Amino acid sequence: VQLTLLYILHHLFVFFSPAMYYREYLYFNLILRIILLVWCFSIVMLTQILIPLTWKFFLSFQYLTNTKSVNLHFEAKLNEYLIFYVSLYYLCVFYCQIFTVFFLFLNYINANIQIIRKFRKLYYFFFLIFATLVSPPDIFSQFLISVIVIFFYEIFIFTFLLKDVTHSLIGQPIKTN
């Protein structure tokens, strides 16, 4: 299903590309490439990092219980393994595709910096909701994730403001006495 969706997106892009301006074509081409790159990265991260870590975690319970008097064995059905793998796959792809949305957000910031500054409180609220959805239910993790996201948000706003100021100053003549 994922490959078919990417294939359909590519063919829609190829179909609409003759009707696009050159800047639109480059922009949508970049977005499509970022989506594909992040999707491949999420699959590699899932198969090389997350799945081995989860196997190691679940199999570690069996080694801990051999020393105790009560024996616990992790005996799951194949259906449960597949459900776990598919749900972990979709979570990994979803969280990695957030970076694509973040790229679009950065492009939006570049175009509308005054609107971003005006609705800063609303963005902070959305960052807190995001931290609540992504992190475990303890307050420290939610607070830490929200502070990190807000910190990066402020850094990007400052960077784009600095870029706008330097671009406006580049065209100005130098005053000499």
Side-chain angles (χ1 to χ4, degrees):
V1 173
Q2 298 279 322
L3 288 174
T4 306
L5 182 64
L6 288 172
Y7 188 71
I8 289 171
L9 280 174
H10 172 70
H11 279 281
L12 282 173
F13 174 71
V14 170
F15 178 74
F16 286 118
S17 64
M20 293 181 192
Y21 290 113
Y22 185 68
R23 288 183 59 123
E24 291 174 344
Y25 174 80
L26 290 178
Y27 182 70
F28 285 119
N29 189 14
L30 180 65
I31 289 174
L32 195 60
R33 287 177 190 255
I34 288 174
I35 288 173
L36 182 65
L37 181 71
V38 168
W39 180 70
C40 291
F41 173 74
S42 67
I43 290 175
V44 168
M45 186 176 70
L46 177 73
T47 58
Q48 299 297 321
I49 297 171
L50 290 177
I51 294 296
L53 282 175
T54 56
W55 281 109
K56 184 179 176 185
F57 173 75
F58 286 125
L59 291 176
S60 69
F61 289 120
Q62 193 166 352
Y63 297 125
L64 291 175
T65 59
N66 285 338
T67 60
K68 308 260 185 206
S69 63
V70 177
N71 256 348
L72 292 176
H73 294 283
F74 182 64
E75 296 178 8
K77 296 182 279 185
L78 182 61
N79 187 24
E80 292 175 0
Y81 287 124
L82 290 176
I83 289 172
F84 174 72
Y85 181 77
V86 168
S87 63
L88 194 62
Y89 168 77
Y90 282 125
L91 282 173
C92 185
V93 168
F94 174 73
Y95 286 142
C96 287
Q97 288 300 329
I98 288 176
F99 289 111
T100 306
V101 173
F102 192 63
F103 171 77
L104 295 172
F105 178 70
L106 290 179
N107 193 21
Y108 177 75
I109 285 176
N110 194 17
N112 302 317
I113 196 70
Q114 296 302 324
I115 295 173
I116 298 295
R117 289 175 64 196
K118 182 178 176 184
F119 295 113
R120 181 175 282 171
K121 293 177 189 176
L122 185 64
Y123 286 119
Y124 283 1
F125 179 70
F126 286 131
F127 293 150
L128 289 173
I129 290 175
F130 173 74
T132 304
L133 293 175
V134 172
S135 69
D138 65 340
I139 295 175
F140 180 73
S141 297
Q142 292 174 357
F143 179 73
L144 183 67
I145 289 175
S146 63
V147 166
I148 289 171
V149 171
I150 288 171
F151 176 74
F152 282 124
Y153 170 76
E154 292 296 329
I155 292 293
F156 284 127
I157 287 180
F158 179 73
T159 305
F160 284 116
L161 280 175
L162 191 64
K163 187 176 101 174
D164 287 344
V165 168
T166 55
H167 281 309
S168 66
L169 291 177
I170 288 174
Q172 299 293 327
I174 299 173
K175 295 182 181 178
T176 58
N177 292 337

